[in-house]
Amino acid sequence: MTELVPIPSPGIPVFFGTPGDPVVVVVHDIYGRMPGLVSFAEALASRGLRVAVVDLYDGVCTVDTANAKGLMGNLDIGTALAEIDDAIAGAQETGDEKVALVGFSLGGWLALLHAQAGAADAVVAYYASLAPQDHGVIPCPVLLHWAETDEWDAGEEPEPFVSRLKDHGTPVTEHRYIGTRHSFANASLPGKVDAQAAALAFARTAVFLEKHLKE
């Protein structure tokens, strides 16, 4: 596999913010822990949150979609969920017990999957959903950011997913961003990012997290 880029702190979460603040675990998309997530985490930390950004690819990322799909294909889901657990535990060692998960695409899917265990007080997913076979009850508020144009496997489309959330009694808020495509919030992908939509989604995410973690 070519065009893989090494990243700092391979295989371990990178932390931002002050120990003791409410915890937010950020889970990257199929491209890995790209540099843009550092700015995202720093901006959340400036709002009084303790942010952990996981690395599920053992120290590499890529801007190549084919390579990214290869990395995703080699990911063990159980291990990935355990790494999210480890990030939560590491961030909580000296701090607040309130926890939120924020995930992008693959990371959004993992965040939604993990939230079913009841460890999160809130979850935010960018362009991600759960298929019926993966979907259980998510017992915390959910914020969903959708691209206007996206591709979904059968059963993963936004509308039936949101309907299932509501049927389960999960508080859900969703926003769709006109003119955008999948990965619109990945600042490390110039060909995909929509800066205006990403900024609006971040603002909504920050307000949502502050409401459920700090009020």
Side-chain angles (χ1 to χ4, degrees):
M1 187 177 293
T2 60
E3 299 185 38
L4 299 182
V5 179
I7 62 173
S9 303
I12 62 174
V14 177
F15 293 92
F16 302 85
T18 304
D21 286 340
V23 172
V24 178
V25 175
V26 177
V27 191
H28 59 73
D29 61 15
I30 68 169
Y31 297 93
R33 192 172 67 197
M34 304 281 274
L37 284 182
V38 172
S39 298
F40 183 90
E42 288 176 339
L44 284 181
S46 73
R47 310 286 287 254
L49 299 168
R50 176 68 164 162
V51 185
V53 187
V54 301
D55 168 27
L56 304 179
Y57 288 167
D58 295 323
V60 297
C61 65
T62 182
V63 296
D64 180 79
T65 300
N67 285 334
K69 290 180 178 179
L71 289 167
M72 178 178 66
N74 290 329
L75 186 67
D76 180 81
I77 302 306
T79 300
L81 294 173
E83 291 186 28
I84 295 172
D85 283 332
D86 290 344
I88 293 172
Q92 284 182 325
E93 281 184 355
T94 58
D96 198 302
E97 293 187 355
K98 286 197 171 183
V99 174
L101 306 172
V102 178
F104 299 83
S105 190
L106 165 67
W109 181 80
L110 287 167
L112 292 166
L113 200 63
H114 190 284
Q116 294 176 156
D121 296 284
V123 60
V124 181
Y126 284 71
Y127 28 86
S129 69
L130 295 174
Q133 66 269 23
D134 299 318
H135 192 179
V137 175
I138 299 177
C140 67
V142 175
L143 173 62
L144 301 168
H145 299 298
W146 308 115
E148 181 181 21
T149 302
D150 214 329
E151 297 179 2
W152 302 96
D153 291 335
E156 293 185 352
E157 300 89 351
E159 291 79 7
F161 173 58
V162 171
S163 293
R164 291 194 303 273
L165 286 171
K166 292 179 178 179
D167 287 346
H168 293 160
T170 299
V172 56
T173 303
E174 57 178 328
H175 299 285
R176 192 176 303 274
Y177 298 84
I178 303 303
T180 63
R181 295 180 177 273
H182 196 85
S183 295
F184 71 82
N186 190 329
S188 298
L189 299 175
K192 297 178 181 290
V193 67
D194 184 312
Q196 184 174 357
L200 178 56
F202 173 82
R204 287 168 167 165
T205 295
V207 169
F208 177 82
L209 295 175
E210 289 174 336
K211 175 181 179 181
H212 294 291
L213 297 183
K214 300 180 74 173
E215 291 183 359

